Every structure is written in C-alpha cells, then in structure tokens.
Amino acid sequence: MLDAAKRLITPSKRSDVPPFMVMDVMAAAARIEAAGGHVIHMEVGQPAAPAPATAIHAAQAALAHGRIGYTEALGIPALRERIARHYADSYNLTLDPARVVVTTGSSAGFILAFLALFEPGERVALANPGYPPYRHILSALGCEPVLIETSAETRWALTGEALLAAHQRKPLSGVVIASPANPTGTMMAADALARLIAVAEAEGIRVISDEIYHGLDYAFAAATAAAISPRAVVINSFSKYFCMTGWRVGWMVLPESLMRAVERLQQNLAISVPTLSQLAAQAAFDGRAEMDAVKHGYEENRRILTVGLPQAGLDKFLPVDGAFYLYADISRFSSDSLDFAKRMLEEAHVAATPGIDFDPVNGHNFLRFCYAGSTPEMHEAVARIGKWLKR
Ligand SMILES: Cc1ncc(COP(=O)(O)O)c(C=O)c1O
C-alpha cells in the first residue's frame, strides 16, 4: 500500500536529466557577491545588453493598447513574413513565410522539431562537446542521443565521414549541427556544412541546424542550412544576436511537409507563443544598428581575450570564430574543470563554466568563457586570471 502510494509521487525515468554544473558556480558567485565581493561573470551565455529600443517600444505600445490575446499557432503572420525577409536581407535567400514557425525560444523549437521528426527510440547524432539540452531533450522524449567526438583536425565540427562511420555502426535518424557552436565558439565554413548535409541526406538522416548564434560571426560569415537544403530543419532565436533571452521567442524554418504536424503540436503544447514577445521580436529587426554596436563590443572583447589570455597563462583555446564563447584548454593546470572553476571564482573572482557541463568525455580539461559582458570587465578578467595563475 505504502509502496503503491510512493510511486504516485516519484518522478519518471525520462525526467531524470542531469543538472547544469554551472549552477553550482553561479550559487558560489552569489555568495561571494552577498559578502561584498565583485565577481566578473563569464559563466552564463547571455548578452549583457537589453533588447533593442525598437523592441521595447513595440512591447510598451502593445501593453498600452491593452488586450494581449492568443495568436495563430504558427505565429503572427507579419512576424513570419518579417523573418522570411530576414533571409533575403542576410543570406540573399528567398524564403516562403509559409515555412516559418514562431517558437518559444529555440528551446521549444527543439521539442517541436524532435517530436515532428523522430519516433521514440530513434538515434540522433550530436557533436561532442555540445550544448547539453540537445541530448537531454532527446532523451526526455525517448530518443537516443549519439555523441560523436570532434577534434582540432576538423575544427571541432562534425564531418560527413564521422557521421557516416557512426551511421554504419548503428543507423542514425537525425543529426543536430550548430555553427557557431556552444560551448566551442567554432564555426563550419559553408562548404563543410554543405558536405555534411549532403552525406546526411544521402543516408536519409534528417538534419537539424541550430543557428541561434547567427549574426555573431567574426572569423567568416555563417552559412544557413536553409540555403543548402529545403529539407533541413533550421532553428533560430531572438535570444542572442537580438539580445532577447528573457522574451522567449525564436523561430524555425521547416520543410513544407512538416508544417502541419508542427502546427498541430504547437496548438496542443502551447497554443501560441507569448504575443507581447512576438510583437517585440518583429520590431527588433528595426534595431539592427543597436545590435550591431553590441556585436562590435563582442568583437573587441574577443580581441582582448585572444591577446590577453595567452599572456595570462591560458594559451590553448579553440578557434574563436563566433557566438560569444572562448573554450580554453586548462589541462596544463588541472584535470578537474569543476574544481578549477570553483577555485578561480573563489580566489580570482572570475566565474566561468566547467567543460564537464558540455562534454562528458574531455570536459574535465576545458573551461568556457562567455565574453558577452563589458569591455572593461574583459580587461579586468584577464588581469585577475594572470595574477591568479602566476601566484
Ligand atoms: C546552442 C544553443 N542553442 C539553443 C539555446 C537556447 O536558447 P533559447 O531557448 O533562448 O532560444 C542556447 C542557449 O544558450 C544555445 O546556446
């Protein structure tokens, strides 16, 4: 009787996803700050800048107007059109707005896409290191994430050969690609992306391209999978380039054949995406000058870190191509990135994310720095880390 009652309140096996270790670092940082310390936050991957003024004004106007009702499940038509126009403006690609779905951040886009594409038990390839929620969402939905190791030889990106090898060992149904990637900050050149997509499609492996860090490319221009294949599922968001993390709004570009399935899923799972956020997102496209100024700040931060960290002692890191991440190899100093991150925080008051959050295999040797903060903070971080490592 007691056992039966207990089962009523125990969580399901599928909800047993790992926590984010960085939360430990954040809690420790909060304790230092509560005691009067000044921490430089490089652990959380979000812009320090607010949404562009155009977005904020649009939301204020909508609030003043009053009623905030549901919208169409696929999103406000004018926003879907504006997103389609963004592909013409940014990638010289003509895109039918009928293939655009507005989502509650890219996070909800993954849930919708994985549900629409895969059956439980299907295997989906992911690059390791990578963004942990890919694998956690897949496993919560009953799919099997398959990690494929990446290395310096392939600029830390998946390749067609590696995908094919994994597929031949045991068939894959999908692959998630990210360029620029989190946590590595590395990007794939257009031809590398096209080769990977061609191999995947030849094998019937569905391609999901996470393009959330597009707009934040420094080394070369990011290519969209939408321009490479009309069958690719493209996921994007207003969170990063548009500085709108908390507004929870993103989008997908889908093959025509998935639209109705995703519409039905969205109707049932969410009804629609928050209206205020959709209106703000539409206006955000008119705030490009503001966002480009923020991007120039990241470029300067990137320069400070790529010059300053080697002088400070951290001289091994992955190519710093895009997004706002620098992924540093700390193996000269430690093989326990969580311990290293905790000590760097406690002793130098610089917070970064341990690689184990992103890479169960080699993450103990890496630390991710987010450089979306202010330029003076970057100078200060380099100085503090240098002093700490040379103590
Ligand atoms: C690679 C990547 N994809 C997706 C997301 C999810 O972002 P959002 O749901 O805010 O669009 C993040 C957030 O950090 C990310 O780094």
Side-chain angles (χ1 to χ4, degrees), residues 129 183-184 317-318 325-329 355 358-359 363 366-368:
T184 57
F317 40 81
L318 275 51
Y325 302 118
L326 181 146
Y327 202 53
D329 182 335
F358 309 101
D359 177 353
F366 290 89
L367 215 56
R368 187 196 73 175

Side-chain angles (χ1 to χ4, degrees), residues 310-345:
Q311 289 164 0
L314 284 180
D315 53 359
K316 269 177 85 182
F317 40 81
L318 275 51
V320 196
D321 296 332
F324 33 52
Y325 302 118
L326 181 146
Y327 202 53
D329 182 335
I330 55 155
S331 58
R332 246 184 73 198
F333 302 98
S334 168
S335 57
D336 180 347
S337 56
L338 182 58
D339 172 70
F340 187 86
K342 281 182 173 164
R343 283 190 292 116
M344 189 172 79
L345 173 61

Side-chain angles (χ1 to χ4, degrees), residues 20 45-46 103-110 130-134 178 180-183 210-213 235-240 244-246 248-251 324-325 358 368:
F20 234 167
Q46 69 173 338
T103 58
T104 307
S106 68
S107 300
F110 290 113
Y131 178 60
Y134 300 146
N182 177 9
D210 180 0
E211 302 187 354
I212 184 170
Y213 290 103
I235 299 191
N236 208 322
S237 174
F238 289 91
S239 288
K240 308 293 168 153
M244 294 177 71
T245 45
R248 311 306 303 128
V249 57
W251 75 86
F324 33 52
Y325 302 118
F358 309 101
R368 187 196 73 175

Side-chain angles (χ1 to χ4, degrees), residues 72-116:
E72 291 84 342
L74 292 174
I76 295 174
L79 172 57
R80 296 172 66 205
E81 273 162 32
R82 187 64 193 82
I83 291 169
R85 184 142 62 86
H86 170 65
Y87 283 82
D89 297 346
S90 300
Y91 306 98
N92 202 18
L93 175 71
T94 306
L95 180 70
D96 184 352
R99 290 180 52 205
V100 176
V101 187
V102 182
T103 58
T104 307
S106 68
S107 300
F110 290 113
I111 298 170
L112 293 167
F114 294 161
L115 281 171

